Amino acid sequence: MMASLLEITGLTRHFEGITAVDGIDLAVQEGELVSVIGPNGAGKSTLFNVISGLDRPDAGGVRLDGVDITGRSPEKLARLGLARTFQHGRVFANLSVLDNVLVGTHARLAAVRPGWRGFGPLGELLLAVVRPGAVRREEAALRSEAEAILARFGDRLVPRLDHPAYSLSYANRRRVELARALALRPRLLMLDEPTAGMNETETTEMEEVIAALKATGLTILLIEHKLDMVMRLSDRVLAMDDGHSIAEGAPATVRDHPAVVEAYLGHPANQRTAVA
Ligand code: ADP
Ligand code: MG
């Protein structure tokens, strides 16, 4: 079998009194889209946090393309090609739409160009003031790259390149966050409820963006409550409840698995999405 792009084994995270993530195993192949579903409190976001370096697991390991990345910082992981978005959305509120995305391209370049960082803050300042031709050309290239990423969202963001993120609608802030993650040119993109709080039209648009990203061959790990969307997008699904894996496999098989039906029925808040 082909080596997995992401491989997690026995991943476990305790908080006082509870085990939020309890011995999760999962392998994601290059180009796959795997969804993680489960009722609120199942441990999905905590699983993302321990994979993406925001939190440390108490046990178990994470490998990215065969390299043990367990407990590495989010910055290091970004350089290795792991990018994520957050359930509650995180953008730089005072930066423009374009600058939010440029931050992503710069984070990527910092990795491949340690020489620049070697000059320290003074070197960065000199480069900013003198702006040799090579720097200007590179900035222009990064700007076109950022604009191309923003164009994935149709006319939602392109007309607002210089609007500060705080002035955007909620849905647009979430789009900007995804655009910034894409600017890292990730090998693995992790999306935590990218359509939470979005209306039907916005949800459909986001599904189309995710489907288009998958079509480029990008590997995606998705947490999503809207099961009809999960069914359409996913190659495989992992269902969690109380920190455990309760089912894993083909989307329809997992949806119809008795333990999954039971988990959703046991959490009335999720019933509506469970029958979708
Ligand atoms: P999900 O994303 O599936 O809704 P979470 O991963 O957010 O679930 O939460 C799983 C469980 O872990 C919940 O019981 C939640 O209250 C608990 N939890 C999450 N983060 C923390 C934390 N930082 N401290 C204590 N408990 C937490
Ligand atoms: Mg969550």
Side-chain angles (χ1 to χ4, degrees):
M1 192 171 117
M2 199 172 50
S4 306
L5 180 60
L6 178 73
E7 187 170 10
I8 68 181
T9 43
L11 212 58
T12 299
R13 180 69 169 110
H14 308 286
F15 295 117
E16 321 79 57
I18 66 150
T19 305
V21 172
D22 197 352
I24 295 289
D25 297 320
L26 180 69
V28 180
Q29 311 304 319
E30 196 126 27
E32 253 193 324
L33 191 152
V34 175
S35 293
V36 182
I37 65 167
N40 288 326
K44 306 179 297 296
S45 291
T46 304
L47 176 68
F48 266 35
N49 289 344
V50 292
I51 293 173
S52 65
L54 212 77
D55 192 8
R56 279 167 178 276
D58 294 303
V62 184
R63 285 179 174 271
L64 187 68
D65 207 11
V67 177
D68 185 353
I69 58 162
T70 317
R72 291 211 195 164
S73 72
E75 294 74 25
K76 281 195 180 132
L77 293 180
R79 286 178 203 147
L80 291 173
L82 190 153
R84 70 166 291 181
T85 62
F86 291 86
Q87 184 172 350
H88 301 293
R90 294 188 182 183
V91 294
F92 296 106
N94 290 310
L95 292 186
S96 71
V97 166
L98 182 64
D99 284 344
N100 262 281
V101 182
L102 285 173
V103 166
T105 62
H106 281 285
R108 180 186 84 226
L109 286 181
V112 297
R113 212 177 34 197
W116 277 34
R117 284 186 294 151
F119 290 111
L122 187 58
E124 292 283 346
L125 183 65
L126 274 173
L127 282 170
V129 174
V130 178
R131 291 170 38 93
V135 173
R136 279 200 307 274
R137 278 191 298 280
E138 187 174 83
E139 278 174 3
L142 292 182
R143 189 186 158 111
S144 347
E145 182 182 342
E147 288 179 0
I149 291 170
L150 289 163
R152 286 192 168 276
F153 301 87
D155 61 1
R156 296 293 194 176
L157 298 175
V158 170
R160 300 181 172 83
L161 291 186
D162 53 4
H163 293 205
Y166 68 74
S167 74
L168 300 174
S169 69
Y170 171 78
N172 269 342
R173 283 202 300 275
R174 302 225 60 186
R175 294 179 184 114
V176 167
E177 188 192 15
L178 173 51
R180 194 185 66 216
L182 291 173
L184 288 168
R185 286 194 201 159
R187 302 187 61 197
L188 174 68
L189 177 66
M190 299 171 60
L191 305 173
D192 191 346
E193 297 197 31
T195 71
M198 287 189 177
N199 67 31
E200 228 170 283
T201 310
E202 294 161 348
T203 298
T204 303
E205 277 182 37
M206 182 56 84
E207 179 178 338
E208 284 164 6
V209 169
I210 295 170
L213 291 171
K214 175 174 157 57
T216 69
L218 183 60
T219 311
I220 300 172
L221 196 54
L222 170 71
I223 296 176
E224 181 54 61
H225 274 300
K226 294 165 184 159
L227 284 191
D228 44 355
M229 175 171 159
V230 168
M231 291 302 120
R232 285 189 294 266
L233 283 175
S234 313
D235 296 306
R236 275 188 307 128
V237 176
L238 166 69
M240 293 177 68
D241 192 21
D242 286 329
H244 298 99
S245 163
I246 54 171
E248 195 206 314
T253 312
V254 171
R255 179 194 57 200
D256 300 336
H257 193 288
V260 175
V261 174
E262 167 76 28
Y264 275 94
L265 292 178
H267 296 72
N270 289 296
Q271 275 184 27
R272 201 173 46 79
T273 47
V275 295

